[in-house]
Amino acid sequence: MSANAQIIKTQVGIVGGGPAGLMLSHLLAKSGIENIVVEKRDHETIRTTHRAGILEAGSVKMLTDTGVNGRVLTEGMEHEGIDLRFNGESHRLNFPDLVGATVTLYPQNEVFVDLAAARKRDGGDVRYSVTDTEVLDMTTDTPKIRFTDSEGQLFEIHCEILVGADGSQGICKWAIPQEYRTDNFIEYPFAWFGILTEAPKSSDELIYANSPHGFALISQRSETVQRMYFQADPNEDASKWTEDQIWDELQKRVDGPDGFQLKRGPIFEQMILKFRSYVCEPMRYGNMFLAGDAGHTVPPTGAKGLNLALADVKVLFEAIDSYYSTKSKELLDGYSDRALKRVWKAQNFSYWMTNMLHTRKDANPFEVKRALGELQTVVSSRYGQQYLAESYTGWPHS
Ligand code: PHB
């Protein structure tokens, strides 16, 4: 223990106040399990960090059924399908018809706002803007989180269960000694150039486009603000692009005989988003459990990141809840294996979508046409469409 650290005792200590950490905190509190969340960013920074926006039906249900609030139902946009566009033609996948499900476009920042408000409303202990966070003694019965709060006071949380929900850049997974963890990862030779524009919708639903010029995704935020992305070089300097260049590049990737035209408007944000696929195995070390991006990251093409984080939280909550009600560690011991089953399914889906839709700079004509054959396989049969639709809308929570 540090000489001047103030000690706080709780049952569950959570590092990370993004959607995973806050959702877990919310569920635990509802079950009467004490917990404290520490987060290095301030509320405003998280609120204004743009992230993907597709929620599976199971994620929507988690927000509404557990009493976070119903804003996702009134302000989210329910989508009944997506368009896969290639060879300049759009192919719509109708999710209710294929798999009896829908998804909801509701950006991750809004999920954060709702969860943060629910923790505040219910008297949750969430400490933002902390610095120098460390996790200690993970293999003992009293794992600890040491941090300095926004006023400069040093604290040590002494807990029984420690949760690392501190995102892909977090400290928790790196605190697992290397001989106890396997880092599985791959990198991709491309990134996304993302924009936010003040323009009317170009499409009511998302368009995932493969083209000889590379991938593009047409997404939305509201009637007047749109989100779009196109495949770019990871080292591209986004600030060098003019609005006309960006629009021309996006348009090239959706051009086709149907004459589809993007509706243009002023661009008020442009950035490069790098991505990779990563899984830490196991998602546990002693009494520390990893959840969400702290344990795994997926490329954004399958829109799985937040959904996977919430699915981890569901499984972890059940395990912690069972531990406190029965004193049996069985479900905690099974957490990593159970969570990883879904994680690897989502990794496979995200990898598959990414590789099928993007075009490598050095791809030869065989590879380009093979990918088109794959897209054709998906859209030309109900089974192919169902495979994509089932994965995209989310497998049932077990
Ligand atoms: C988004 O709207 O930001 C978005 C949607 C779907 C994706 C990725 C990003 O697959």
Side-chain angles (χ1 to χ4, degrees):
M1 184 188 74
S2 307
N4 56 350
Q6 199 167 313
I7 292 170
I8 332 171
K9 290 199 165 134
T10 193
Q11 291 174 297
V12 181
I14 303 172
V15 183
L22 292 181
M23 177 55 101
L24 181 65
S25 171
H26 171 71
L27 296 176
L28 291 171
K30 269 170 53 80
S31 243
I33 300 168
E34 274 178 29
N35 66 85
I36 301 175
V37 180
V38 299
E39 165 59 51
K40 72 173 182 197
R41 295 164 296 175
D42 59 48
H43 185 287
E44 192 55 15
T45 303
I46 314 179
R47 190 186 69 77
T48 53
T49 305
H50 299 293
R51 303 289 294 271
I54 290 288
L55 293 183
E56 297 171 357
S59 301
V60 171
K61 211 164 137 51
M62 243 174 122
L63 289 169
T64 53
D65 287 6
T66 67
V68 174
N69 68 34
R71 221 164 60 94
V72 61
L73 298 180
T74 52
E75 295 188 21
M77 293 182 262
E78 188 176 21
H79 285 192
E80 299 198 334
I82 57 168
D83 271 355
L84 280 184
R85 191 171 168 87
F86 56 97
N87 283 333
E89 273 176 38
S90 281
H91 304 262
R92 179 158 190 270
L93 272 59
N94 180 324
F95 296 152
D97 171 49
L98 291 163
V99 291
T102 61
V103 293
T104 298
L105 182 65
Y106 190 64
Q108 180 162 331
N109 352 13
E110 301 300 335
V111 175
F112 165 75
V113 166
D114 290 352
L115 283 164
R119 289 318 292 125
K120 201 165 170 193
R121 174 194 72 199
D122 300 341
D125 188 346
V126 183
R127 304 185 188 202
Y128 296 99
S129 306
V130 308
T131 52
D132 303 321
T133 307
E134 283 177 82
V135 289
L136 312 159
D137 302 337
M138 284 89 81
T139 55
T140 71
D141 288 340
T142 315
K144 300 173 185 71
I145 304 170
R146 190 181 290 163
F147 67 95
T148 303
D149 79 354
S150 55
E151 253 117 66
Q153 169 67 45
L154 185 63
F155 283 93
E156 233 175 56
I157 300 177
H158 291 200
C159 48
E160 293 160 354
I161 291 173
L162 199 164
V163 176
D166 52 345
S168 55
Q169 313 284 335
I171 55 145
C172 287
K173 68 171 170 288
W174 306 125
I176 304 178
Q178 205 150 19
E179 62 269 33
Y180 291 102
R181 75 167 203 264
T182 305
D183 296 311
N184 307 281
F185 72 95
I186 51 162
E187 283 177 355
Y188 298 86
F190 29 75
W192 281 8
F193 192 126
I195 63 155
L196 279 165
T197 172
E198 227 176 284
K201 285 182 183 171
S202 289
S203 159
D204 283 333
E205 294 174 340
L206 272 63
I207 303 174
Y208 288 82
N210 164 294
S211 85
H213 307 284
F215 168 77
L217 171 60
I218 310 306
S219 182
Q220 305 83 21
R221 283 296 176 265
S222 68
E223 292 302 328
T224 52
V225 173
Q226 314 309 325
R227 182 81 162 135
M228 300 181 193
Y229 306 90
F230 61 90
Q231 176 186 343
D233 191 282
N235 300 315
E236 189 63 62
D237 179 356
S239 65
K240 287 215 173 112
W241 287 60
T242 65
E243 293 201 0
D244 282 343
Q245 283 173 320
I246 294 172
W247 282 117
D248 290 347
E249 194 59 43
L250 277 163
Q251 182 61 44
K252 263 200 324 210
R253 298 173 187 217
V254 295
D255 268 343
D258 60 1
F260 176 65
Q261 287 291 319
L262 293 172
K263 297 194 174 126
R264 302 184 178 200
I267 293 170
F268 61 90
E269 258 199 67
Q270 51 197 75
M271 74 286 277
I272 295 290
L273 292 105
K274 295 188 180 173
F275 52 81
R276 61 191 207 143
S277 298
Y278 169 82
V279 182
C280 174
E281 285 182 312
M283 286 167 55
R284 174 208 192 152
Y285 177 60
N287 282 315
M288 178 172 80
F289 299 84
L290 302 177
D293 280 6
H296 41 75
T297 45
V298 286
T301 326
K304 282 282 160 267
L306 173 57
N307 295 295
L308 205 49
L310 294 177
D312 283 354
V313 164
K314 186 161 191 292
V315 175
L316 185 54
F317 163 69
E318 282 167 18
I320 298 175
D321 194 39
S322 150
Y323 171 62
Y324 282 113
S325 54
T326 65
K327 284 289 155 206
S328 156
K329 283 209 160 170
E330 196 184 330
L331 289 191
L332 279 174
D333 289 340
Y335 165 69
S336 177
D337 283 350
R338 201 170 152 211
L340 282 166
K341 284 214 174 89
R342 190 184 187 93
V343 167
W344 280 115
K345 279 162 63 167
Q347 287 291 353
N348 174 54
F349 177 64
S350 308
Y351 172 95
W352 175 67
M353 285 280 279
T354 302
N355 283 306
M356 177 169 67
L357 288 162
H358 291 68
T359 310
R360 287 177 192 254
K361 253 204 302 220
D362 58 357
N364 72 26
F366 178 91
E367 290 167 306
V368 171
K369 288 177 194 175
R370 190 210 59 80
L372 291 170
E374 191 170 19
L375 281 157
Q376 195 60 47
T377 308
V378 172
V379 300
S380 62
S381 104
R382 187 165 174 88
Y383 298 114
Q385 292 188 24
Q386 274 175 327
Y387 171 72
L388 194 153
E390 182 190 37
S391 309
Y392 195 90
T393 58
W395 311 280
H397 285 178
S398 54

